[in-house]
Amino acid sequence: MMKRSIYIALILVGFLSCCISNAAFAAIGVTDLRCEMLYNPQGISTTHPRLSWQITSDQRNIVQTAYEIIVASSKQKLTLNEGDLWDSHKTISDKSIMVSYAGKPLTSRSQCYWKVRVWTNKGTGEWSNQPANWSVGLLNPNDWQAKWIGYEHGFPRDSVSKFSRLSARYYRKQFQTLQSIKKATVYIVGLGHYELYINGKTIGDQVLAEAPTDYTQSVLYNTFDVTDDIRQGDNVIGTVLGNGRFFTMRPKYKPQKIKEFGFPRLLLQLEITYQDGSKKTIISNDSWKFTANGPIRTNNEYDGEEYDATKQLTGWNKIGYDDSNWLKPELVGSPGGKVAAQMDAPIKIMDTVKPISINQLKPGTWIMDMGQDMAGWVQMKVKGNRGDKVTLRYAETLKPEGDLYTANLRDAKATDVYTLKGGDEEIWHPVFVYHGFRYVEITGYPGMPTLGDFIGQVVYDDMANTGQFETSNTLINQIYHNAYWGIRSDYKGMPVDCPQRNERMPWLGDRATGSLGESFVFNNENLYAKWLDDIEQSQKPDGSIPDVAPAYWNYYSDNMTWPGTYILIADMLYNQFADKAPIEKHYASMKKWLDYMRQKYDKNNLMTKDKYGDWCVPPESPELIHSRDSSRNTSGELIATAYYYRMLYLMQHFATLLNKPADARSFSALALQAKNAFNQKFLDKKTLRYDNNTVTANLLPLYFGMVPEADKKAVFNNIVNKITIDANSHISTGVIGTQWLMRGLTDFGRPDIAYHIAANDDYPSWGYMVKRGATTIWELWNGDTAAPAMNSRNHVMLLGDLIAWFYQDLGGIKADEPGFKTIIMKPAEVAGLDSVNASYQTPYGLVKSNWKKHDKQLDWSITIPANSKAIVYLPVNSISGIREGGKRISVASGFKYLGQDRDEAKIEIGSGDYHFAASNYFE
Ligand code: BGC
């Protein structure tokens, strides 16, 4: 009897524990499957894509111990777990991001469907339930049968001059399919921009496609699965071509400076597979028809778009349209660049903004305020008579009298014109241009424009907003808001300096460190990887790298700070995203550039060539753009040599990563020589000041690790004194110094000064911009008073390392191992800031840091994603000052105490949600 009950009890225990462990199994999920960091990308450029996933669980301390990936050539096979392309089988590994495909060789057009399951230390997950997929694009030049078509002339109404006007070109091709369709794919390059239609339907929701490049070097195509859009019988494929950067905004103006590519061109291939496996291909060639006499009369990124609805070509992209008076396109040459798949996300309408007011300035003229400086356009609703013409002029600010202030747009006309066809309500927005603006002047509007007639559409690259940041200081929150709007304004298939004036150029220096801060806010990995390709393609055979890439403007001025962005961004992509490919791909070109600079400008180990100095320091008088005061500016040679050292240091690190020990040794030797020469020349051994003792002059060597150990304290004191005494705790640095300032002050023990600088609201500061009504970040500290020639209200370069500091030091979220496999959680202690809520989507998943201070106690909620871990710093003298979930912590409960680091206890935790309380006053 007794025995029996024990037996039953044992069975029960077994059953229960089985239920529990099954529950544990069920709690492990796999989500967020990405191929080359993209969701279900079509037409990728590689046959060895890197696959990533995230693990979800409601338990703590989840570590992946193995994975199995199945890649099948069809959905059906995948459902049956038939990995005919690849079955990795159970692979022992904790790698859950950037796992390279290692199955059967893929070729152009391969279709791949995939799923993954994981084993963890806490149970096995189910297969990822949403099958993911990718397809390979056209990898070889001979995959393309399509011909480049275009028309290499303007029409009488066009003007190919400084303020060029060129109407959009409409292309169409009617064709027949004889059977039902199994698969149809379009590959398209429409230069500069295209819209694509099949049977009247818009294909895709991309705008301003495809991403801009130097078309003589590379040309990017987009791929669309159009299986559901092609029908058996007659079909029409149509595209509209706009100018973009291909037919440049200021042609025939400064030929030495501005690169021209030619008139818009199309390369299109539609591949159809019928149900029986036979194929048909429609290609761009001279059997197509085109007209330039459609509604888009002109489109110029600086000057705006004019659309005449009375010229609409009704039904042009559907069957049955009479195109007999359309023209035959010319077969034209390729622009020269290698045709490759676009691997960064397309630009889309990412957000909308409702205007906050429309006021009549004078009869017939209204000023609309969007309430936010933004980049994109306005969509308008209007009802009126045929031929009525509405003009929209865009600007960032108003004059005191209330009309638009356009002096800072330089010669950009920033004007859209819409001519009504009349009758019913018409809805319109431009498609081939964008504007940077807060205010819109409306003239010619029939009737009274109301707020409901307009909506702002925010246009930038389709990248996830990965970070959230909020503090107890509302001014800091507004600065963050301004930065967020600036960053999204200035992504346009490449990072540009500004969205409004006649510039919008991808200046390298603006993003050197800013890109790191940006990477917390947006998933900008593929965009920056693409930009490194642009930079490489702009390199001259001798090694020189320009300041603007793609080199639409010719600026090969040779300096360390702007081109050095090439190396800094590769480093950022590695640290933030664990993406090593850019370092591998660009190492040779980076090395070549450094060799070139060394051979040409290294004199006795000093880098003698600079161009921009500490660009845009706060000047001595309010109307100045650039300071002429030598005590505010920092020596170009000092900046160049410090950056030279930094670049050599990073290259040494890259060489080590790539297992090139001889290179690493040689970079390290050069770095040492540069450091010695630098200290010899610029460090005053008596005062321990660098050169003229600006913050930047002391900060660069200190942050870069060039200062002799014994002198570090004194050098840091120079910085502290300069800021707190000479600058009254305000910023005194420009684009260069500001890149290292906030983290430098924090790393050397004075986060309070950094916080003071960030929280200032008087001149010069980011807060001053806010107080003066800014909703983005200005190009100049004195943007409200400086001359208009170089005074954009929407630039990101003055952010320096502010956003990185917000996340890394105020939020306390920093990558230790690349890609946040190990995370350092260490918020800086700053008096006056009572709470921060920060979160960031790492490649492994969401990390959160929400802290609050009250009564000498820190309350801190932390989330660490599965398959990563964190080193957490808590401000207590010993582990006994820590509670988690109200309890003391111990090794047994999964916390590893790593000892004290000055006043902070260091513990290691695994994934999961935690709520810490830390106080030296706990008993
Ligand atoms: C741009 C800057 C750029 C600088 C360098 C300016 O006109 O707007 O952002 O870095 O020139 O010359």
Coordinates of all heavy atoms in Angstrom, one line a residue, residues 497 501 503 507 510 562 612 615 779 790 795 797, ligand 1:
D497 N 23.7 66.7 -45.2 CA 23.9 67.7 -44.2 C 22.7 68.5 -43.8 O 22.5 68.8 -42.6 CB 25.0 68.7 -44.6 CG 24.7 69.5 -45.9 OD1 23.8 69.0 -46.6 OD2 25.3 70.5 -46.1
R501 N 18.4 73.9 -48.1 CA 19.1 74.9 -49.0 C 19.6 74.2 -50.2 O 19.5 73.0 -50.4 CB 20.1 75.7 -48.2 CG 21.3 74.9 -47.9 CD 22.4 75.7 -47.2 NE 23.5 75.0 -46.7 CZ 24.1 75.1 -45.5 NH1 23.6 76.0 -44.7 NH2 25.1 74.4 -45.2
E503 N 22.0 72.7 -51.1 CA 23.2 71.9 -50.8 C 22.8 70.4 -50.6 O 23.0 69.6 -51.5 CB 23.9 72.5 -49.5 CG 25.1 71.7 -49.1 CD 26.1 72.6 -48.4 OE1 25.8 73.7 -48.0 OE2 27.2 72.1 -48.1
W507 N 28.1 65.3 -46.6 CA 29.4 65.7 -46.0 C 29.8 64.7 -45.0 O 29.1 64.4 -44.1 CB 29.2 67.0 -45.4 CG 29.2 68.2 -46.3 CD1 28.0 68.8 -46.8 CD2 30.2 68.9 -46.9 NE1 28.3 69.8 -47.6 CE2 29.7 69.9 -47.8 CE3 31.6 68.8 -46.9 CZ2 30.5 70.8 -48.5 CZ3 32.4 69.6 -47.6 CH2 31.8 70.6 -48.4
D510 N 30.2 65.6 -40.9 CA 29.0 65.8 -40.1 C 28.6 64.6 -39.3 O 27.8 64.7 -38.3 CB 27.8 66.2 -41.0 CG 28.1 67.5 -41.7 OD1 29.2 67.8 -42.1 OD2 27.1 68.3 -41.9
W562 N 37.3 65.0 -42.0 CA 36.1 64.6 -42.8 C 36.3 63.2 -43.3 O 35.5 62.3 -43.0 CB 35.9 65.7 -43.8 CG 34.8 66.7 -43.4 CD1 33.6 66.9 -44.1 CD2 34.8 67.6 -42.3 NE1 32.9 67.9 -43.5 CE2 33.6 68.3 -42.4 CE3 35.6 67.8 -41.2 CZ2 33.2 69.3 -41.4 CZ3 35.3 68.8 -40.3 CH2 34.1 69.5 -40.4
Y612 N 39.2 72.1 -42.1 CA 38.1 72.7 -41.5 C 38.3 73.2 -40.0 O 37.4 73.8 -39.5 CB 36.9 71.8 -41.5 CG 36.5 71.4 -42.9 CD1 36.8 70.1 -43.4 CD2 35.9 72.3 -43.8 CE1 36.5 69.8 -44.7 CE2 35.6 72.0 -45.1 CZ 35.9 70.7 -45.6 OH 35.6 70.4 -46.9
W615 N 35.4 73.2 -36.8 CA 34.4 73.8 -37.6 C 33.2 74.4 -36.7 O 32.7 73.6 -36.0 CB 33.9 72.8 -38.6 CG 33.0 73.2 -39.7 CD1 31.7 72.8 -39.8 CD2 33.3 74.0 -40.8 NE1 31.1 73.3 -41.0 CE2 32.1 74.1 -41.6 CE3 34.4 74.6 -41.3 CZ2 32.1 74.8 -42.8 CZ3 34.4 75.3 -42.5 CH2 33.2 75.4 -43.2
E779 N 22.7 74.6 -37.5 CA 24.0 74.4 -38.0 C 25.1 75.2 -37.2 O 26.2 74.8 -37.1 CB 24.1 74.9 -39.5 CG 25.4 74.8 -40.2 CD 25.3 75.1 -41.7 OE1 24.4 75.8 -42.1 OE2 26.2 74.7 -42.4
M790 N 25.4 80.4 -44.5 CA 25.6 79.1 -44.1 C 24.9 79.0 -42.7 O 25.5 79.0 -41.7 CB 27.1 78.8 -43.9 CG 27.4 77.3 -44.0 SD 29.1 77.0 -43.5 CE 28.9 76.8 -41.7
H795 N 20.5 70.8 -39.1 CA 21.7 70.1 -39.3 C 21.9 69.2 -38.1 O 21.3 69.4 -37.1 CB 22.9 71.2 -39.3 CG 23.5 71.4 -40.6 ND1 22.9 71.9 -41.7 CD2 24.8 71.2 -41.0 CE1 23.7 72.0 -42.7 NE2 24.9 71.6 -42.3
M797 N 25.3 68.1 -37.2 CA 26.7 68.0 -36.9 C 27.0 68.5 -35.5 O 27.9 68.0 -34.8 CB 27.6 68.6 -38.0 CG 27.4 70.1 -38.1 SD 28.4 70.7 -39.5 CE 28.1 72.4 -39.4
Ligands
BGC1 C1 27.9 71.9 -44.8 C2 28.5 71.2 -43.6 C3 29.8 70.7 -44.1 C4 30.7 71.9 -44.3 C5 32.1 71.6 -44.7 C6 28.8 73.1 -45.1 O1 28.3 73.8 -46.1 O2 26.6 72.2 -44.6 O3 27.6 70.4 -43.0 O4 30.4 69.7 -43.3 O5 30.1 72.7 -45.3 O6 32.6 72.5 -45.5

